[in-house]
Amino acid sequence: MLSKIDSLVKKVEGFSPSSKEELESFRLSYLGKKGHLTSLFNSFKEVPNEQKKEFGLAINNLKNLVQTKISSLKPLFSENNTGPKPDLFKPVKNSSIGSRHPISIVEQKIISIFNSIGFSVSHGPEIEDDWHNFTALNLPEDHPARDMQDTFFVQTNPDVLLRTHTSSVQVRHMQSNKPPIRTLSPGRVYRNEAISARAHCLFHQVEGLYIDEKVSFSDLKQTLLYFAKEMFGKNTKIRLRPSYFPFTEPSAEVDIYWGLEKESDYRITKGTGWLEILGCGMVDPNVLENCGIDSKKYSGYAFGMGIERIAMLLYGIDDIRLFYENDVRFLKQFSSTNL
Ligand code: DAH
């Protein structure tokens, strides 16, 4: 009898009706008055006492199986389910596709422009020591130019800080690589500034560094002109203004000509038509020596730019705080952007 129950279990498992009627006759053949289960329960009397427990369990199992089978198949043939069966293998429809953050879009664009002229990407830590962030970059302790960058120190150790610029990565890169060096270092930096529409306590920079024999200021100028044209359009003009950075000598700030067509152009360029986009210069020989590079044999240039600033110009964003709020109404606007 046990083997009979077994074969019924198999039949129930394999049962797949194609109509409501077929399902109903299945139900009757098992649960009806003259069905398999009634006859099994009837023959239960004849089962020897010591086997009753085993048979009882098997019959009950079969009954449960039949009942679950029927209740799972029933909805398929119910009156309000006459349409086609649902396709359970259909891929899920993705109703909202994410988008890249504008900072990532601009960062990638900068990287791809410099990749095309031989620069590779390098990274460094955001929690830095004093030497890599300042001292090696020709900013010894008590140097007044340290005040240019309001620094977050890690309280328990005044030697540890949140990097104030990605120039610290050029130090690390020079320490562990030999010239020729052509590297680009994107990343997040931190400054203890009051948060406003124009400034934030964190932002992103890209640092560039090129070291080889006989690198000159004209190489720097030409590279930056190429970059500006790729980034802002082929008619872009640039100008270099003398400036001061402790780690470069001579140093310059680079402006692009933005124009004075719209009223907003007067506001963002302070009426000059020119906009500053980056700082640059020839790497100071002290910096090369600090990083173990022979400054008699090699020279190089470096530059650094803020990614938010460039993104704000390109997209006409007038409040830096928008970048960090993760408001989908802001982020969604970049979903189809492919700079
Ligand atoms: N580190 C500078 C800053 O954060 C940017 C900079 C200026 C980087 C001139 C350079 C450079 O490499 O040559 O303001």
Side-chain angles (χ1 to χ4, degrees):
M1 212 161 73
L2 269 180
S3 65
K4 186 177 173 202
I5 297 178
D6 257 0
S7 78
L8 287 174
V9 165
K10 289 209 177 76
K11 267 193 198 154
V12 174
E13 283 171 345
F15 177 64
S16 151
S18 49
S19 68
K20 197 176 164 183
E21 288 69 34
E22 216 183 314
L23 180 62
E24 178 59 9
S25 67
F26 170 82
R27 188 185 71 81
L28 288 174
S29 71
Y30 282 86
L31 302 177
K33 268 190 193 147
K34 292 183 186 142
H36 296 298
L37 280 155
T38 317
S39 79
L40 282 170
F41 280 120
N42 286 340
S43 46
F44 191 65
K45 295 183 221 96
E46 287 133 42
V47 175
N49 272 349
E50 65 277 13
Q51 290 173 19
K52 273 200 160 63
K53 193 173 169 195
E54 197 182 353
F55 274 100
L57 278 174
I59 296 172
N60 271 328
N61 270 347
L62 176 65
K63 189 179 168 191
N64 288 338
L65 184 67
V66 172
Q67 279 168 341
T68 11
K69 185 88 184 183
I70 291 171
S71 52
S72 71
L73 291 170
K74 226 176 183 170
L76 289 182
F77 304 110
S78 73
E79 296 304 321
N80 47 15
N81 192 1
T82 47
K85 289 186 202 168
D87 179 357
L88 301 177
F89 295 96
K90 220 168 158 180
V92 178
K93 196 171 151 211
N94 199 347
S95 55
S96 63
I97 294 175
S99 56
R100 282 194 298 159
H101 194 280
I103 299 291
S104 306
I105 297 172
V106 173
E107 180 181 306
Q108 277 310 313
K109 175 72 180 172
I110 298 170
I111 291 174
S112 77
I113 295 171
F114 283 100
N115 267 344
S116 71
I117 50 172
F119 283 74
S120 57
V121 172
S122 55
H123 293 283
E126 290 179 21
I127 301 173
E128 215 12 308
D129 56 52
D130 183 282
W131 194 80
H132 287 93
N133 196 79
F134 290 126
T135 310
L137 287 163
N138 214 20
L139 276 146
E141 218 179 310
D142 301 327
H143 193 289
R146 284 192 180 208
D147 289 345
M148 282 160 59
Q149 304 185 352
D150 300 305
T151 310
F152 282 118
F153 290 95
V154 173
Q155 250 178 4
T156 47
N157 185 347
D159 189 44
V160 181
L161 45 89
L162 298 182
R163 68 179 178 197
T164 58
H165 52 184
T166 41
S167 304
S168 55
V169 189
Q170 55 159 284
V171 175
R172 291 185 175 273
H173 198 80
M174 282 191 273
Q175 284 182 304
S176 48
N177 292 275
K178 296 209 168 346
I181 287 171
R182 258 196 226 108
T183 189
L184 206 63
S185 314
R188 187 174 287 186
V189 302
Y190 301 84
R191 292 194 196 171
N192 189 3
E193 299 214 22
I195 296 172
S196 70
R198 302 256 119 217
H200 211 282
C201 59
L202 67 88
F203 55 101
H204 299 77
Q205 287 188 332
V206 176
E207 179 83 11
L209 177 72
Y210 177 37
I211 311 280
D212 204 347
E213 290 177 38
K214 301 196 182 77
V215 177
S216 71
F217 202 90
S218 58
D219 295 323
L220 170 62
K221 257 173 94 174
Q222 198 56 35
T223 306
L224 294 178
L225 178 62
Y226 170 75
F227 164 72
K229 284 174 184 276
E230 291 291 310
M231 193 79 210
F232 297 100
K234 60 179 188 308
N235 296 322
T236 303
K237 289 194 203 65
I238 64 168
R239 73 175 183 191
L240 277 75
R241 280 179 292 106
S243 184
Y244 170 75
F245 297 103
F247 26 89
T248 43
E249 181 59 37
S251 304
E253 276 171 312
V254 177
D255 299 341
I256 57 166
Y257 189 68
W258 188 254
L260 283 172
E261 276 163 36
K262 289 181 268 152
E263 206 183 315
S264 59
D265 297 338
Y266 279 84
R267 188 168 37 81
I268 59 172
T269 68
K270 300 195 179 96
T272 65
W274 291 93
L275 269 179
E276 184 217 315
I277 56 157
L278 57 86
C280 64
M282 300 306 291
V283 180
D284 192 300
N286 286 342
V287 175
L288 294 177
E289 295 295 337
N290 287 341
C291 302
I293 291 179
D294 181 355
S295 64
K296 302 229 163 38
K297 188 166 178 205
Y298 295 106
S299 57
Y301 63 69
F303 55 86
M305 64 187 106
I307 301 181
E308 278 81 350
R309 183 166 172 75
I310 294 183
M312 287 168 89
L313 293 175
L314 286 174
Y315 297 124
I317 298 166
D318 57 10
D319 192 326
I320 196 170
R321 291 169 290 199
L322 286 166
F323 289 118
Y324 318 111
E325 280 166 1
N326 277 339
D327 185 331
V328 285
R329 290 168 302 180
F330 172 73
L331 298 174
K332 254 169 45 185
Q333 297 177 51
F334 302 92
S335 57
S336 58
T337 311
N338 199 2
L339 251 185

